[in-house]
């Protein structure tokens, strides 16, 4: 039995965003989008499916080139409305192989094969009678559809005139910016598509629910990737074998550099995984690895753009269930075994609690401690990490959540470079309702550190992160 799936044929004047509409609603970054008009010369169908089940097709088409001439040809061959679809078929027969009006043939063919009309116009320019020839041809096909107003450049000064005109020719007019639209906005437009399809005997709303289910699964997978990355960041360390007569402190610059590079590589890997989950395999980003553009993340003074402020650290760590002394220990503990070479040793004897934490933050410019293993015949093993800085997991998670949110909302029609600057200091952690979440996270981070990142601890962190993904589809 043939699969029943609606086909939406995206048509219109050249350079009005037809390919952008297709890319956004097909969630397909392979759709070619160029600023020059006339780059789409052939109709191309994009099948949207979830788990092998077809939901709908979108057909990208060339723009109308000679609508007035094509309409004149049609009017010579039909005198009644009943004759019009046959005249369009005759037009295709006459011009398909002749090399004349190729663009009109390319866009009319999928409509006459049963496609539904999606007529795209630019809402930033005024309506004019030159568009009426195009819409009249579409009416001659006998195929139902809707008008889609693309406010190119986010300008919508001419919406009213476009809605009036499109309502007369197509009945339904919706506003949709494919470049700026996030998932929720896309679903609103697809619901309008579904109404047109179902009015013509093709059920699609139930299939659209598959897209929402797939979205939830994407959030699940992204949450797990991020939880695993944060766990790794809390437990990561590098090591080297040192000659017996080597000076231990001389090894720290090399180990620190290796540690930082490893952390950057791990974050980049997690980011790529999140991007693939949301079907962004070609996304370009500004900045690489664990860096804020123009600044090094490992400069602690810049951390508060991504992590907690010192005040937030004090209140969160001392009330987050880890205990005041334990919170201070995150900074001033010299490490688990071995001889410490870190500045933390200088403050290791400070009183615990908030005073100890405050002092620890003052000395918190070290990412991790260096520890020496026992002397063996081969030499002595020296390790750097894991980090004890209390803000590290918040910085890592804050960056990951910011990146995930931007990627999840990033339209597949959007082709510029994504800038990963926080919107403002504290943008991630100062949101409403985050205080309780921060305290839960402290407990999760502590459990991961104690267990060295076992599966149960990671699962607990996933449970806290997952609800945060629900914001992705509702924040604009």
């Amino acid at each position: 039995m043939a699969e029943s799936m609606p086909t939406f044929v995206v048509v219109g004047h050249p350079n009005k965003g037809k390919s952008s509409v297709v890319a956004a609603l097909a969630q397909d970054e392979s759709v070619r989008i160029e600023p020059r008009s006339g780059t789409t010369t052939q109709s191309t169908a994009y099948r949207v499916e979830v788990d092998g089940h077809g939901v709908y097709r979108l057909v990208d088409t060339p723009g109308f080139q000679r609508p007035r001439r094509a309409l004149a040809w049609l009017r010579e061959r039909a005198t009644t409305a009943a004759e019009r679809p046959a005249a369009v078929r005759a037009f295709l027969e006459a011009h398909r192989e002749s090399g004349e009006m190729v663009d009109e043939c390319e866009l009319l063919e999928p409509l006459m094969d049963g496609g539904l009309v999606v007529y795209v116009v630019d809402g930033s320019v005024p309506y004019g009678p030159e568009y009426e020839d195009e819409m009249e041809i579409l009416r001659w096909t006998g195929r139902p559809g809707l008008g889609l107003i693309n406010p190119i450049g986010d300008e919508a000064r001419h919406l009213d005139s476009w809605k009036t005109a499109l309502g007369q020719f197509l009945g339904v007019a919706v506003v949709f910016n494919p470049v700026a639209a996030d998932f929720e906005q896309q679903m609103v437009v697809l619901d309008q598509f579904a109404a047109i399809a179902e009015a013509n005997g093709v059920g699609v709303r139930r299939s659209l629910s598959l897209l929402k289910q797939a979205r939830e699964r994407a959030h699940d997978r992204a949450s797990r990737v991020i939880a695993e990355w944060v766990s790794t960041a809390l437990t990561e360390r590098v090591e080297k074998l040192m000659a017996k007569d080597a000076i231990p402190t001389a090894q720290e610059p090399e180990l620190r550099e290796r540690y930082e590079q490893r952390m950057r590589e791990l974050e980049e890997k997690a980011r790529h995984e999140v991007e693939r989950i949301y079907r962004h395999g070609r996304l370009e980003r500004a900045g690489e690895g664990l860096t804020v553009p123009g600044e090094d993340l490992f400069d602690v003074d810049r951390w508060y753009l991504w992590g907690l402020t010192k005040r937030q650290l004090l209140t969160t760590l001392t009330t987050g269930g880890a205990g005041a002394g334990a919170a201070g220990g995150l900074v001033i503990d010299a490490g688990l075994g071995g001889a410490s070479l870190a500045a933390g040793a200088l403050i290791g004897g400070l009183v615990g609690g908030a005073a100890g934490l405050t002092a620890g933050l003052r000395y918190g410019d070290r990412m991790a401690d260096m520890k020496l293993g026992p002397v063996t015949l081969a030499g002595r093993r020296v390790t750097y990490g894991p980090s004890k800085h209390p803000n590290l997991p918040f910085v890592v998670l804050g960056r990951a959540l910011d990146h995930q949110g931007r990627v999840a909302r990033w339209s597949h029609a959007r082709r510029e470079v994504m800038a990963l600057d926080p919107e403002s200091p504290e943008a991630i952690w100062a949101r409403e309702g985050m205080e309780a979440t921060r305290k839960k996270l402290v407990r999760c981070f502590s459990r991961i550190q104690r267990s060295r990142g076992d599966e149960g601890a990671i699962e607990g962190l996933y449970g806290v992160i997952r609800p945060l993904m629900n914001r992705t589809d509702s924040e604009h």
Side-chain angles (χ1 to χ4, degrees):
M1 180 177 177
E3 185 178 32
S4 177
M5 182 171 55
T7 297
F8 300 99
V9 184
V10 183
V11 298
H13 213 63
N15 209 32
K16 300 302 179 186
K18 297 185 298 298
S19 296
S20 294
V21 169
V22 172
L25 297 180
Q27 296 183 25
D28 191 334
E29 63 185 0
S30 72
V31 178
R32 184 181 178 189
I33 299 174
E34 298 287 349
R36 309 185 318 274
S37 64
T39 54
T40 301
T41 58
Q42 293 181 320
S43 294
T44 304
Y46 296 88
R47 173 189 169 96
V48 178
E49 60 179 46
V50 177
D51 298 331
H53 177 84
V55 180
Y56 54 87
R57 293 185 194 88
L58 288 162
V59 181
D60 192 17
T61 67
F64 281 100
Q65 296 294 332
R66 301 176 180 84
R68 181 169 298 179
R69 180 179 169 188
L71 184 58
W73 192 99
L74 292 171
R75 282 173 169 161
E76 290 176 357
R77 287 157 179 82
T79 57
T80 68
E83 296 172 341
R84 288 173 179 174
V88 176
R89 290 189 177 89
F91 176 89
L92 292 173
E93 285 289 331
H95 296 91
R96 189 179 289 121
E97 304 298 336
S98 70
E100 296 182 6
M101 289 190 273
V102 174
D103 294 312
E104 279 71 20
C105 289
E106 282 287 324
L107 67 91
L108 290 172
E109 188 92 51
L111 288 173
M112 301 313 294
D113 285 342
L116 303 168
V117 176
V118 179
Y119 181 62
V120 179
V121 299
D122 180 2
S124 68
V125 300
Y127 170 77
E130 64 271 20
Y131 297 96
E132 294 186 4
D133 291 339
E134 298 174 359
M135 291 189 283
E136 184 66 16
I137 291 172
L138 296 176
R139 187 157 61 177
W140 276 54
T141 67
R143 300 303 301 155
L146 52 75
L148 193 154
I149 306 172
N150 178 11
I152 294 177
D154 272 334
E155 295 186 16
R157 291 173 294 175
H158 306 284
L159 287 184
D160 290 341
S161 61
W162 275 113
K163 287 179 178 178
T164 300
L166 292 170
Q168 294 180 54
F169 281 92
L170 293 164
V172 179
V174 296
V175 179
F176 179 66
N177 184 336
V179 175
D182 60 19
F183 181 78
E184 279 196 349
Q185 293 165 333
Q186 293 169 21
M187 292 303 299
V188 168
V189 171
L190 288 173
D191 194 59
Q192 293 284 343
F193 283 19
I196 299 296
E198 293 185 347
N200 290 272
V202 183
V204 67
R205 275 204 174 90
R206 188 174 179 181
S207 295
L208 289 182
S209 67
L210 296 176
L211 291 178
K212 296 180 180 179
Q213 294 170 22
R215 182 72 167 186
E216 290 299 312
R217 291 198 299 273
H219 290 342
D220 288 344
R221 292 166 57 201
S223 299
R224 293 191 183 280
V225 167
I226 292 172
E228 290 171 1
W229 156 224
V230 174
S231 175
T232 299
L234 283 166
T235 56
E236 184 67 16
R237 66 180 187 177
V238 295
E239 61 181 37
K240 71 175 290 188
L241 191 62
M242 183 177 63
K244 295 178 184 179
D245 56 350
I247 301 172
T249 53
Q251 314 305 312
E252 184 171 6
E254 176 192 344
L255 287 169
R256 179 185 174 97
E257 182 179 352
R258 283 175 52 194
Y259 174 82
E260 294 181 8
Q261 180 59 32
R262 177 63 177 159
M263 294 283 276
R264 292 185 176 100
E265 291 170 353
L266 289 168
E267 182 187 60
E268 186 68 11
K269 179 183 177 182
R271 283 180 170 177
H272 280 306
E273 289 181 22
V274 168
E275 288 161 7
R276 283 193 292 269
I277 287 169
Y278 293 103
R279 303 179 67 177
H280 286 290
R282 305 176 182 178
L283 191 62
E284 293 185 60
R285 291 180 263 106
E288 297 180 359
L290 278 176
T291 56
V292 177
E295 297 286 344
D296 189 346
L297 176 78
F298 290 96
D299 173 0
V300 174
D301 290 340
R302 293 284 295 171
W303 273 32
Y304 303 112
L305 291 175
W306 297 104
L308 303 188
T309 64
K310 293 183 180 181
R311 180 178 296 276
Q312 288 171 336
L313 276 173
L314 284 168
T315 58
T316 300
L317 295 176
T318 55
T319 62
L330 287 173
V331 174
I332 63 176
D333 191 327
L336 300 175
S340 172
L341 301 172
L346 299 176
I347 56 173
L350 291 176
V351 178
L357 176 60
T358 304
L361 290 173
R362 229 177 16 248
Y363 288 93
D365 59 340
R366 301 181 67 91
M367 282 298 92
D369 292 346
M370 245 175 58
K371 294 184 285 292
L372 297 174
V375 178
T376 66
L377 291 176
R380 198 170 197 178
R381 193 168 300 276
V382 59
T383 62
Y384 189 91
S387 175
K388 296 284 186 176
H389 198 289
N391 215 2
L392 173 71
F394 285 102
V395 172
V396 169
L397 180 55
R399 288 169 59 86
L401 291 174
D402 181 76
H403 170 259
Q404 179 274 337
R406 292 173 190 265
V407 170
R409 291 189 293 270
W410 195 265
S411 170
H412 290 76
R414 198 169 176 179
R415 301 297 164 85
E416 74 265 30
V417 176
M418 176 188 288
L420 291 178
D421 284 312
E423 297 172 0
S424 65
E426 309 177 52
I428 300 298
W429 298 115
R431 295 170 180 166
E432 184 179 354
M434 273 293 188
E435 184 176 355
T437 298
R438 295 198 303 263
K439 294 174 183 178
K440 292 177 184 177
L441 288 170
V442 167
R443 293 191 287 271
C444 290
F445 299 154
S446 178
R447 182 181 174 190
I448 287 171
Q449 288 174 317
R450 291 195 309 269
S451 68
R452 305 292 179 93
D454 70 16
E455 287 300 319
I458 296 174
E459 186 68 19
L461 179 57
Y462 160 81
V464 178
I465 292 174
R466 178 60 183 88
L468 301 178
M469 299 294 169
N470 295 331
R471 299 169 178 252
T472 295
D473 296 327
S474 59
E475 291 182 351
H476 305 303

